[in-house]
Amino acid sequence: IGKSEGAKVEFNVCDSNGGDIHVFTTRPETLFGVTFLCLSPKHPVAEMLAKKAGILPALQGLKESSTEGDHDSCEGLFLEARASHPITGEEVPIYAAPYVLEGY
């Protein structure tokens, strides 16, 4: 009920054109603890990265498990890509997992 207040943050995907990942957080102070990013298998950036890495069939499998309601699975897929941390500048790995919801 109502609108959440917080910050929009952008993680730049390394070695990609236009593949930035935009996130929203109500707790910006937690950004210092980010060690990886995890996207929904249905996220357009996840699909772009999987295609670029040649692992699109594996991502399709995750999409199917998320469609079947397997949101409790701890299974994930490394998308063979990294993003630049917006505060520290360190590179963090990017994964896709069925437990990540597509929208907020």
Side-chain angles (χ1 to χ4, degrees), residues 3-99:
K3 198 164 85 172
S4 296
E5 292 187 22
K8 292 180 183 178
V9 182
E10 184 176 289
F11 286 81
N12 297 316
V13 178
C14 302
D15 300 326
S16 98
N17 297 326
D20 296 336
I21 299 169
H22 304 272
V23 299
F24 175 81
T25 180
T26 59
R27 305 287 306 264
E29 67 274 14
T30 62
L31 289 171
F32 290 99
V34 172
T35 57
F36 68 94
L37 295 177
C38 196
L39 303 173
S40 164
K42 298 176 184 176
H43 194 286
V45 173
E47 190 166 318
M48 177 194 71
L49 294 173
K51 188 175 184 178
K52 184 177 178 182
I55 55 173
L56 201 51
L59 184 67
Q60 290 298 109
L62 281 182
K63 280 184 185 180
E64 290 171 14
S65 66
S66 67
T67 303
E68 294 167 2
D70 187 13
H71 299 291
D72 293 332
S73 172
C74 292
E75 180 183 348
L77 175 67
F78 178 51
L79 296 172
E80 299 183 30
R82 297 184 178 277
S84 177
H85 192 289
I87 298 171
T88 67
E90 293 181 37
E91 291 186 1
V92 294
I94 306 170
Y95 296 86
Y99 59 83

